[in-house]
């Protein structure tokens, strides 16, 4: 049965094609649909479109549906198109004509919009929490590994001394930038579209500020056409924030894969966190970080998918928009899964503490030598040439001593400042 049915049912093939994955995906929207409906009917009562008795009946029935959802028992019946229809059918089945009054002054177009705003707001908060857990883990590890040196590379050639403290801290600080993107996406999601109805408003005197307050939105999309335009934009902003985190995490995963390679041999994991081979008995593979790298690379493509799906759509609602759910819903779960996996794995990573003792890393210390000569009074270019010639004729002997003290360097990584920077952004998600 369809909400819009006037007697005849559509062809089965048409129905399956147009409903797509909605019956499954919309389950994730169910609680928000009820929340949106509760706010809408409170507002309808306040403007005289429902009596207080009708409001009580509807709130009671919606409350019961909310409990069914809470228990995980809510389903969308075969033949029912989506969550919005299912909730309305359930209300009508229970309350008869009163149930049929709920849809005054709204459309499924603003219903799905408000559901998605509430859903995205929650999910972006969940992503922010998972990012915060990884951030705190990285900062702790940075402090713990502060003095453990490792080679720094440029062009993947041995370059200058670095440290595990810097490495962990670098990814932590990089997450602070991603968190800014996430906060921007959160602020975009945190606006009420309800009252835009089919996309052009209503002749009922809807109190849109009231539903904004009731749903706890920070603001509203004022212009009803802009409210409808936000479908796709909200998802796009979220996907760009997810892509930003994914790019940080994907690079981290690549570093770990590379360092687990025997040619580097910088880090290991306990056997139970690695995977084996069906033929090579010695293997301890970094599958976790490979899957993480792959997932994170894929996650960076979804903002393109969303851009292409929504490019040049005519103004107003178009059914293409339904497909946004297929893209963004799984992405939200996957980025959280990757963040949680990194938070679980990294504290168990064993780091070699004597890496830079190996003669193959002798040249890491050439710049240290140049700087020592400069501090003793020699002009930089002369010192550079002197050490360069020593390298060339094989007389260079490294002094494996590193004195990097400026802000953000090996001995002074400024983790407290990085923490403040990150947590100031993270705290903004609470409002
Ligand atoms: N399932 C639909 C979607 O996600 C709900 C809105 C349907 N609106 C319509 N005019 N057919 O877009």
């Amino acid at each position: 049965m369809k909400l819009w049915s006037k007697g005849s049912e559509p062809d089965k093939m048409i129905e399956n094609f147009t409903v797509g994955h909605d019956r499954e995906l919309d389950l994730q929207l169910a609680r928000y649909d009820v929340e949106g409906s509760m706010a809408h009917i409170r507002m309808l009562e306040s403007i005289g479109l429902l009596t207080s008795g009708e409001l009580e009946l509807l709130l009671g029935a919606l409350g019961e549906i909310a409990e069914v959802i809470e228990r995980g028992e809510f389903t969308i019946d075969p033949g029912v198109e989506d969550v919005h229809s299912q909730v309305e059918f359930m209300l009508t089945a229970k309350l008869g004509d009163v149930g049929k009054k709920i849809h005054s002054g709204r459309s499924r177009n603003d219903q799905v919009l408000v559901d998605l705003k509430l859903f995205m707001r929650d999910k972006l908060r969940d992503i922010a929490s998972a990012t915060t857990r990884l951030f705190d883990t990285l900062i702790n590890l940075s402090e713990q590994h502060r003095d453990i040196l490792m080679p720094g590379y440029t062009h993947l050639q041995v370059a200058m001394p670095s440290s595990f403290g810097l490495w962990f801290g670098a990814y932590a600080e990089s997450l602070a930038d991603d968190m800014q993107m996430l906060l921007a996406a959160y602020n975009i999601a945190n606006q009420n579209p309800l009252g835009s109805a089919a996309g052009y408003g209503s002749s009922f005197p809807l109190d849109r500020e009231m539903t904004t307050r009731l749903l706890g939105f920070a603001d509203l999309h004022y212009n009803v056409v802009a409210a409808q335009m936000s479908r796709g934009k909200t998802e796009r902003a979220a996907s760009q924030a997810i892509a930003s985190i994914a790019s940080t995490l994907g690079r981290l995963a690549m570093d770990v894969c590379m360092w687990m390679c025997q040619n580097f041999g910088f880090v290991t994991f306990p056997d139970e966190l690695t995977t084996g081979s069906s033929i090579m008995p010695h293997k301890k593979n970094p599958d976790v970080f490979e899957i993480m790298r792959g997932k994170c690379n894929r996650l960076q493509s979804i903002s393109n998918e969303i851009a292409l799906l929504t490019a040049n759509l005519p103004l107003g609602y178009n059914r293409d928009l339904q497909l946004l759910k297929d893209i963004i819903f799984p992405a939200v779960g996957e980025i959280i899964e990757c963040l949680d996996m990194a938070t679980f794995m990294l504290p168990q990573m064993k780091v070699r503490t004597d890496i830079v003792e190996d003669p193959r890393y002798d040249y890491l210390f050439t710049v240290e030598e140049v700087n020592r000569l400069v501090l003793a009074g020699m002009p930089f270019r002369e010192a550079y040439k002197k050490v360069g010639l020593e390298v060339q004729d094989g007389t260079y002997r490294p002094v494996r001593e590193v004195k990097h003290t400026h802000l953000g360097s090996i001995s002074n990584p400024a983790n407290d400042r990085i923490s403040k920077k990150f947590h100031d952004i993270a705290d903004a998600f609470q409002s």
Side-chain angles (χ1 to χ4, degrees):
M1 205 191 343
K2 308 287 166 290
L3 287 173
W4 39 270
S5 168
K6 287 145 210 106
S8 61
E9 286 294 305
D11 183 279
K12 252 294 159 264
M13 253 176 91
I14 302 302
E15 161 154 11
N16 290 342
F17 191 71
T18 53
V19 169
H21 301 122
D22 261 19
R23 281 194 199 106
E24 183 196 328
L25 292 176
D26 274 14
L27 295 179
Q28 297 187 58
L29 296 181
R31 53 180 282 223
Y32 304 108
D33 202 70
V34 168
E35 204 180 326
S37 289
M38 284 178 160
H40 181 68
I41 56 175
R42 284 201 163 97
M43 184 277 293
L44 287 184
E45 191 260 351
S46 79
I47 60 169
L49 284 179
L50 288 175
T51 66
S52 58
E54 287 169 336
L55 175 64
E56 286 317 310
L57 278 175
L58 285 165
L59 285 176
L62 281 169
E64 283 170 24
I65 297 174
E67 282 166 23
V68 175
I69 296 167
E70 191 67 29
R71 289 200 299 273
E73 291 165 8
F74 180 87
T75 51
I76 298 172
D77 297 334
V80 174
E81 275 186 307
D82 51 31
V83 65
H84 328 294
S85 313
Q86 180 70 32
V87 171
E88 193 172 323
F89 284 133
M90 286 166 84
L91 285 179
T92 311
K94 190 170 167 64
L95 303 175
D97 281 351
V98 180
K100 294 182 188 161
K101 290 191 166 188
I102 188 170
H103 212 56
S104 307
R106 73 173 181 178
S107 150
R108 279 184 299 165
N109 296 354
D110 70 338
Q111 231 182 314
V112 65
L113 264 173
V114 79
D115 293 4
L116 286 166
K117 290 282 193 181
L118 294 168
F119 169 85
M120 287 312 304
R121 200 173 62 167
D122 269 7
K123 293 299 169 192
L124 289 165
R125 261 203 214 116
D126 291 347
I127 298 173
S129 303
T131 308
T132 304
R133 289 194 293 276
L134 177 59
F135 174 87
D136 290 337
T137 302
L138 287 167
I139 288 290
N140 281 337
L141 290 169
S142 172
E143 285 298 313
Q144 281 167 33
H145 295 79
R146 196 170 164 138
D147 302 321
I148 304 177
L149 293 183
M150 67 185 301
Y153 297 85
T154 66
H155 312 265
L156 206 50
Q157 302 284 309
V158 166
M160 282 182 68
S162 182
S163 68
F164 279 96
L166 277 187
W167 182 77
F168 284 116
Y171 281 102
E173 188 167 5
S174 205
L175 286 177
D177 289 342
D178 304 333
M179 202 67 167
Q180 291 276 19
M181 302 275 289
L182 206 61
L183 183 58
Y186 178 78
N187 289 333
I188 289 169
N190 201 3
Q191 304 178 83
N192 184 19
L194 202 58
S196 56
Y200 299 94
S202 162
S203 51
F204 294 127
L206 305 176
D207 184 349
R208 301 192 59 214
E209 281 172 321
M210 179 175 174
T211 54
T212 302
R213 258 192 329 276
L214 288 174
L215 293 168
F217 281 112
D219 205 344
L220 60 155
H221 285 294
Y222 295 94
N223 181 310
V224 287
V225 179
Q228 179 55 54
M229 282 174 84
S230 77
R231 183 121 188 236
K233 272 198 126 172
T234 311
E235 291 88 340
R236 189 158 164 168
S239 70
Q240 282 162 346
I242 290 170
S244 192
I245 298 170
S247 89
T248 304
L249 212 45
R251 290 187 78 174
L252 180 150
M254 173 60 195
D255 287 350
V256 175
C257 289
M258 194 162 72
W259 295 347
M260 278 177 78
C261 164
Q262 289 81 353
N263 294 48
F264 288 84
F266 294 173
V267 303
T268 53
F269 283 88
D271 285 358
E272 65 273 19
L273 302 188
T274 59
T275 46
S277 152
S278 60
I279 178 170
M280 296 166 283
H282 64 280
K283 285 291 230 163
K284 286 174 190 165
N285 291 328
D287 291 25
V288 168
F289 289 95
E290 290 172 317
I291 296 284
M292 192 183 294
R293 182 175 59 193
K295 279 182 186 269
C296 286
N297 287 344
R298 277 193 59 213
L299 283 170
Q300 289 175 72
S301 75
I302 66 159
S303 59
N304 279 347
E305 258 186 82
I306 291 176
L308 290 172
L309 176 62
T310 55
N312 304 334
L313 283 184
L315 204 57
Y317 178 84
N318 302 279
R319 191 72 180 265
D320 322 39
L321 296 168
Q322 177 173 296
L323 302 176
L324 287 162
K325 292 184 282 196
D326 296 66
I327 305 174
I328 196 76
F329 283 24
V332 164
E334 288 211 339
I335 194 68
I336 292 177
E337 200 187 6
C338 288
L339 285 161
D340 288 349
M341 189 47 88
T343 305
F344 170 73
M345 292 293 281
L346 291 173
Q348 308 190 64
M349 186 167 89
K350 259 185 74 91
V351 162
R352 239 181 69 205
T353 54
D354 61 349
I355 301 169
V356 302
E357 303 302 322
D358 189 317
R360 82 179 80 193
Y361 302 121
D362 280 1
Y363 296 145
L364 286 176
F365 301 93
T366 57
V367 181
E368 303 298 307
E369 187 55 30
V370 171
N371 290 357
R372 234 185 313 278
L373 293 171
V374 168
L375 286 173
M378 191 181 287
F380 174 82
R381 198 44 70 203
E382 247 172 68
Y384 170 93
K385 198 164 178 186
K386 179 175 173 347
V387 176
L389 288 172
E390 284 174 18
V391 168
Q392 217 170 63
D393 64 23
T395 56
Y396 167 74
R397 296 287 170 269
V399 179
R400 290 179 153 72
E401 199 184 55
V402 177
K403 287 188 194 139
H404 293 193
T405 56
H406 68 74
L407 196 59
S409 65
I410 294 175
S411 313
N412 185 12
N415 284 339
D416 50 345
R417 298 213 197 172
I418 294 170
S419 277
K420 181 174 174 351
K421 189 202 281 191
F422 183 93
H423 283 285
D424 281 351
I425 308 164
D427 289 348
F429 282 85
Q430 298 325 313
S431 56

